[in-house]
mmCIF file of all heavy atoms in Angstrom:
data_model
loop_
_atom_site.group_PDB
_atom_site.id
_atom_site.type_symbol
_atom_site.label_atom_id
_atom_site.label_comp_id
_atom_site.label_asym_id
_atom_site.label_seq_id
_atom_site.Cartn_x
_atom_site.Cartn_y
_atom_site.Cartn_z
ATOM 1 N N PRO A 277 -24.217 -22.389 -36.488
ATOM 2 C CA PRO A 277 -23.705 -21.283 -37.307
ATOM 3 C C PRO A 277 -24.768 -20.249 -37.620
ATOM 4 O O PRO A 277 -25.910 -20.579 -37.907
ATOM 5 C CB PRO A 277 -23.209 -21.982 -38.575
ATOM 6 C CG PRO A 277 -23.938 -23.278 -38.625
ATOM 7 C CD PRO A 277 -24.145 -23.676 -37.198
ATOM 8 N N SER A 278 -24.365 -19.001 -37.522
ATOM 9 C CA SER A 278 -25.251 -17.898 -37.883
ATOM 10 C C SER A 278 -25.086 -17.602 -39.363
ATOM 11 O O SER A 278 -24.256 -18.197 -40.053
ATOM 12 C CB SER A 278 -24.898 -16.652 -37.060
ATOM 13 O OG SER A 278 -23.577 -16.243 -37.336
ATOM 14 N N TRP A 279 -25.838 -16.632 -39.891
ATOM 15 C CA TRP A 279 -25.769 -16.330 -41.316
ATOM 16 C C TRP A 279 -24.384 -15.828 -41.727
ATOM 17 O O TRP A 279 -23.946 -16.059 -42.841
ATOM 18 C CB TRP A 279 -26.846 -15.314 -41.704
ATOM 19 C CG TRP A 279 -26.659 -13.959 -41.080
ATOM 20 C CD1 TRP A 279 -27.173 -13.522 -39.903
ATOM 21 C CD2 TRP A 279 -25.898 -12.874 -41.617
ATOM 22 N NE1 TRP A 279 -26.784 -12.239 -39.644
ATOM 23 C CE2 TRP A 279 -26.013 -11.804 -40.688
ATOM 24 C CE3 TRP A 279 -25.144 -12.681 -42.775
ATOM 25 C CZ2 TRP A 279 -25.382 -10.578 -40.889
ATOM 26 C CZ3 TRP A 279 -24.527 -11.457 -42.970
ATOM 27 C CH2 TRP A 279 -24.645 -10.415 -42.035
ATOM 28 N N GLN A 280 -23.648 -15.171 -40.759
ATOM 29 C CA GLN A 280 -22.318 -14.704 -41.111
ATOM 30 C C GLN A 280 -21.384 -15.871 -41.454
ATOM 31 O O GLN A 280 -20.563 -15.771 -42.350
ATOM 32 C CB GLN A 280 -21.692 -13.898 -39.972
ATOM 33 C CG GLN A 280 -22.360 -12.543 -39.732
ATOM 34 C CD GLN A 280 -23.366 -12.626 -38.601
ATOM 35 O OE1 GLN A 280 -23.946 -13.692 -38.393
ATOM 36 N NE2 GLN A 280 -23.571 -11.530 -37.894
ATOM 37 N N HIS A 281 -21.544 -16.987 -40.718
ATOM 38 C CA HIS A 281 -20.649 -18.115 -40.925
ATOM 39 C C HIS A 281 -20.997 -18.894 -42.189
ATOM 40 O O HIS A 281 -20.228 -19.745 -42.624
ATOM 41 C CB HIS A 281 -20.688 -19.043 -39.707
ATOM 42 C CG HIS A 281 -20.088 -18.439 -38.491
ATOM 43 N ND1 HIS A 281 -20.809 -17.663 -37.617
ATOM 44 C CD2 HIS A 281 -18.812 -18.470 -38.012
ATOM 45 C CE1 HIS A 281 -20.022 -17.248 -36.634
ATOM 46 N NE2 HIS A 281 -18.814 -17.714 -36.854
ATOM 47 N N LEU A 282 -22.167 -18.641 -42.785
ATOM 48 C CA LEU A 282 -22.544 -19.303 -44.023
ATOM 49 C C LEU A 282 -22.015 -18.585 -45.243
ATOM 50 O O LEU A 282 -22.055 -19.101 -46.358
ATOM 51 C CB LEU A 282 -24.081 -19.401 -44.107
ATOM 52 C CG LEU A 282 -24.733 -20.207 -42.972
ATOM 53 C CD1 LEU A 282 -26.251 -20.185 -43.119
ATOM 54 C CD2 LEU A 282 -24.233 -21.641 -42.971
ATOM 55 N N GLU A 283 -21.488 -17.361 -45.061
ATOM 56 C CA GLU A 283 -20.901 -16.602 -46.158
ATOM 57 C C GLU A 283 -19.537 -17.188 -46.518
ATOM 58 O O GLU A 283 -18.862 -17.797 -45.682
ATOM 59 C CB GLU A 283 -20.735 -15.138 -45.754
ATOM 60 C CG GLU A 283 -22.049 -14.399 -45.558
ATOM 61 C CD GLU A 283 -22.804 -14.245 -46.874
ATOM 62 O OE1 GLU A 283 -22.162 -13.930 -47.892
ATOM 63 O OE2 GLU A 283 -24.034 -14.469 -46.867
ATOM 64 N N PRO A 284 -19.080 -17.011 -47.760
ATOM 65 C CA PRO A 284 -17.756 -17.518 -48.149
ATOM 66 C C PRO A 284 -16.660 -16.884 -47.284
ATOM 67 O O PRO A 284 -16.750 -15.724 -46.896
ATOM 68 C CB PRO A 284 -17.623 -17.073 -49.610
ATOM 69 C CG PRO A 284 -19.024 -16.872 -50.080
ATOM 70 C CD PRO A 284 -19.804 -16.408 -48.881
ATOM 71 N N ASP A 285 -15.614 -17.648 -46.986
ATOM 72 C CA ASP A 285 -14.499 -17.161 -46.166
ATOM 73 C C ASP A 285 -13.586 -16.284 -47.023
ATOM 74 O O ASP A 285 -12.997 -16.754 -47.997
ATOM 75 C CB ASP A 285 -13.708 -18.355 -45.609
ATOM 76 C CG ASP A 285 -12.608 -17.928 -44.662
ATOM 77 O OD1 ASP A 285 -12.533 -16.724 -44.352
ATOM 78 O OD2 ASP A 285 -11.828 -18.807 -44.243
ATOM 79 N N THR A 286 -13.488 -15.029 -46.675
ATOM 80 C CA THR A 286 -12.651 -14.079 -47.421
ATOM 81 C C THR A 286 -11.439 -13.645 -46.612
ATOM 82 O O THR A 286 -10.786 -12.662 -46.932
ATOM 83 C CB THR A 286 -13.464 -12.832 -47.804
ATOM 84 O OG1 THR A 286 -13.940 -12.212 -46.596
ATOM 85 C CG2 THR A 286 -14.639 -13.195 -48.698
ATOM 86 N N SER A 287 -11.136 -14.380 -45.550
ATOM 87 C CA SER A 287 -10.045 -13.970 -44.660
ATOM 88 C C SER A 287 -8.705 -14.563 -45.040
ATOM 89 O O SER A 287 -7.721 -14.335 -44.361
ATOM 90 C CB SER A 287 -10.373 -14.369 -43.211
ATOM 91 O OG SER A 287 -10.498 -15.777 -43.121
ATOM 92 N N ALA A 288 -8.676 -15.358 -46.114
ATOM 93 C CA ALA A 288 -7.419 -16.004 -46.508
ATOM 94 C C ALA A 288 -6.368 -14.945 -46.803
ATOM 95 O O ALA A 288 -6.626 -13.950 -47.460
ATOM 96 C CB ALA A 288 -7.639 -16.877 -47.735
ATOM 97 N N GLY A 289 -5.173 -15.193 -46.348
ATOM 98 C CA GLY A 289 -4.081 -14.264 -46.594
ATOM 99 C C GLY A 289 -3.920 -13.215 -45.531
ATOM 100 O O GLY A 289 -2.925 -12.504 -45.508
ATOM 101 N N LYS A 290 -4.906 -13.083 -44.638
ATOM 102 C CA LYS A 290 -4.804 -12.096 -43.571
ATOM 103 C C LYS A 290 -3.981 -12.658 -42.424
ATOM 104 O O LYS A 290 -3.899 -13.874 -42.240
ATOM 105 C CB LYS A 290 -6.199 -11.707 -43.071
ATOM 106 C CG LYS A 290 -7.022 -10.987 -44.125
ATOM 107 C CD LYS A 290 -8.360 -10.540 -43.545
ATOM 108 C CE LYS A 290 -9.197 -9.787 -44.578
ATOM 109 N NZ LYS A 290 -10.496 -9.347 -44.027
ATOM 110 N N GLU A 291 -3.394 -11.764 -41.639
ATOM 111 C CA GLU A 291 -2.577 -12.192 -40.504
ATOM 112 C C GLU A 291 -3.431 -12.882 -39.472
ATOM 113 O O GLU A 291 -4.567 -12.478 -39.209
ATOM 114 C CB GLU A 291 -1.881 -10.977 -39.873
ATOM 115 C CG GLU A 291 -0.829 -10.355 -40.777
ATOM 116 C CD GLU A 291 -0.075 -9.253 -40.070
ATOM 117 O OE1 GLU A 291 -0.299 -9.082 -38.861
ATOM 118 O OE2 GLU A 291 0.729 -8.570 -40.720
ATOM 119 N N ASP A 292 -2.900 -13.954 -38.906
ATOM 120 C CA ASP A 292 -3.630 -14.731 -37.910
ATOM 121 C C ASP A 292 -3.438 -14.152 -36.526
ATOM 122 O O ASP A 292 -2.380 -13.635 -36.200
ATOM 123 C CB ASP A 292 -3.143 -16.182 -37.924
ATOM 124 C CG ASP A 292 -3.497 -16.886 -39.227
ATOM 125 O OD1 ASP A 292 -4.504 -16.519 -39.846
ATOM 126 O OD2 ASP A 292 -2.732 -17.788 -39.605
ATOM 127 N N GLY A 293 -4.480 -14.295 -35.699
ATOM 128 C CA GLY A 293 -4.374 -13.976 -34.285
ATOM 129 C C GLY A 293 -4.505 -12.506 -33.964
ATOM 130 O O GLY A 293 -4.036 -11.663 -34.722
ATOM 131 N N PRO A 294 -5.162 -12.206 -32.859
ATOM 132 C CA PRO A 294 -5.311 -10.818 -32.431
ATOM 133 C C PRO A 294 -4.028 -10.296 -31.789
ATOM 134 O O PRO A 294 -3.125 -11.070 -31.453
ATOM 135 C CB PRO A 294 -6.429 -10.907 -31.386
ATOM 136 C CG PRO A 294 -6.282 -12.290 -30.812
ATOM 137 C CD PRO A 294 -5.811 -13.149 -31.955
ATOM 138 N N VAL A 295 -3.956 -8.987 -31.629
ATOM 139 C CA VAL A 295 -2.836 -8.387 -30.904
ATOM 140 C C VAL A 295 -2.900 -8.832 -29.444
ATOM 141 O O VAL A 295 -3.964 -8.808 -28.832
ATOM 142 C CB VAL A 295 -2.904 -6.853 -31.000
ATOM 143 C CG1 VAL A 295 -1.782 -6.226 -30.176
ATOM 144 C CG2 VAL A 295 -2.820 -6.403 -32.450
ATOM 145 N N ARG A 296 -1.784 -9.245 -28.889
ATOM 146 C CA ARG A 296 -1.773 -9.745 -27.521
ATOM 147 C C ARG A 296 -1.765 -8.592 -26.527
ATOM 148 O O ARG A 296 -1.116 -7.566 -26.742
ATOM 149 C CB ARG A 296 -0.556 -10.628 -27.303
ATOM 150 C CG ARG A 296 -0.508 -11.837 -28.218
ATOM 151 C CD ARG A 296 0.630 -12.755 -27.873
ATOM 152 N NE ARG A 296 0.474 -13.318 -26.537
ATOM 153 C CZ ARG A 296 1.321 -14.209 -26.011
ATOM 154 N NH1 ARG A 296 2.378 -14.601 -26.698
ATOM 155 N NH2 ARG A 296 1.117 -14.680 -24.801
ATOM 156 N N SER A 297 -2.454 -8.794 -25.446
ATOM 157 C CA SER A 297 -2.469 -7.794 -24.383
ATOM 158 C C SER A 297 -1.103 -7.742 -23.710
ATOM 159 O O SER A 297 -0.372 -8.741 -23.669
ATOM 160 C CB SER A 297 -3.531 -8.130 -23.335
ATOM 161 O OG SER A 297 -4.818 -8.058 -23.899
ATOM 162 N N ARG A 298 -0.795 -6.558 -23.191
ATOM 163 C CA ARG A 298 0.500 -6.379 -22.532
ATOM 164 C C ARG A 298 0.326 -5.417 -21.372
ATOM 165 O O ARG A 298 -0.382 -4.416 -21.484
ATOM 166 C CB ARG A 298 1.514 -5.821 -23.528
ATOM 167 C CG ARG A 298 2.889 -5.529 -22.943
ATOM 168 C CD ARG A 298 3.860 -5.132 -24.033
ATOM 169 N NE ARG A 298 3.435 -3.905 -24.698
ATOM 170 C CZ ARG A 298 4.109 -2.754 -24.663
ATOM 171 N NH1 ARG A 298 5.240 -2.673 -23.975
ATOM 172 N NH2 ARG A 298 3.674 -1.701 -25.303
ATOM 173 N N ALA A 299 0.976 -5.718 -20.268
ATOM 174 C CA ALA A 299 0.988 -4.829 -19.107
ATOM 175 C C ALA A 299 2.423 -4.427 -18.828
ATOM 176 O O ALA A 299 3.302 -5.287 -18.689
ATOM 177 C CB ALA A 299 0.386 -5.513 -17.884
ATOM 178 N N VAL A 300 2.657 -3.127 -18.752
ATOM 179 C CA VAL A 300 3.974 -2.600 -18.391
ATOM 180 C C VAL A 300 3.860 -1.972 -17.009
ATOM 181 O O VAL A 300 3.081 -1.033 -16.808
ATOM 182 C CB VAL A 300 4.462 -1.553 -19.406
ATOM 183 C CG1 VAL A 300 5.802 -0.969 -18.960
ATOM 184 C CG2 VAL A 300 4.585 -2.167 -20.798
ATOM 185 N N VAL A 301 4.591 -2.512 -16.060
ATOM 186 C CA VAL A 301 4.621 -1.959 -14.707
ATOM 187 C C VAL A 301 5.821 -1.018 -14.622
ATOM 188 O O VAL A 301 6.962 -1.449 -14.804
ATOM 189 C CB VAL A 301 4.743 -3.066 -13.641
ATOM 190 C CG1 VAL A 301 4.748 -2.451 -12.244
ATOM 191 C CG2 VAL A 301 3.612 -4.070 -13.787
ATOM 192 N N CYS A 302 5.548 0.243 -14.361
ATOM 193 C CA CYS A 302 6.613 1.247 -14.294
ATOM 194 C C CYS A 302 6.642 1.851 -12.890
ATOM 195 O O CYS A 302 5.592 2.237 -12.355
ATOM 196 C CB CYS A 302 6.367 2.339 -15.339
ATOM 197 S SG CYS A 302 7.693 3.560 -15.473
ATOM 198 N N ASP A 303 7.810 1.922 -12.314
ATOM 199 C CA ASP A 303 7.947 2.467 -10.968
ATOM 200 C C ASP A 303 9.339 3.077 -10.853
ATOM 201 O O ASP A 303 10.301 2.583 -11.451
ATOM 202 C CB ASP A 303 7.754 1.372 -9.924
ATOM 203 C CG ASP A 303 7.392 1.928 -8.547
ATOM 204 O OD1 ASP A 303 8.235 2.626 -7.943
ATOM 205 O OD2 ASP A 303 6.275 1.677 -8.083
ATOM 206 N N ILE A 304 9.455 4.138 -10.073
ATOM 207 C CA ILE A 304 10.755 4.785 -9.882
ATOM 208 C C ILE A 304 11.638 3.986 -8.919
ATOM 209 O O ILE A 304 12.840 4.182 -8.865
ATOM 210 C CB ILE A 304 10.561 6.227 -9.366
ATOM 211 C CG1 ILE A 304 11.830 7.052 -9.594
ATOM 212 C CG2 ILE A 304 10.143 6.243 -7.894
ATOM 213 C CD1 ILE A 304 11.655 8.536 -9.338
ATOM 214 N N ASN A 305 11.022 3.063 -8.195
ATOM 215 C CA ASN A 305 11.736 2.360 -7.131
ATOM 216 C C ASN A 305 12.063 0.921 -7.524
ATOM 217 O O ASN A 305 11.167 0.103 -7.745
ATOM 218 C CB ASN A 305 10.897 2.373 -5.845
ATOM 219 C CG ASN A 305 11.706 1.971 -4.635
ATOM 220 O OD1 ASN A 305 12.060 0.805 -4.488
ATOM 221 N ND2 ASN A 305 12.013 2.933 -3.781
#
Side-chain angles (χ1 to χ4, degrees):
S278 62
W279 65 269
Q280 291 97 330
H281 292 87
L282 299 177
E283 293 293 317
D285 185 6
T286 60
S287 62
K290 295 184 179 180
E291 292 186 7
D292 293 331
V295 177
R296 300 186 64 177
S297 295
R298 177 174 62 115
V300 177
V301 181
C302 186
D303 200 295
I304 199 170
N305 194 289

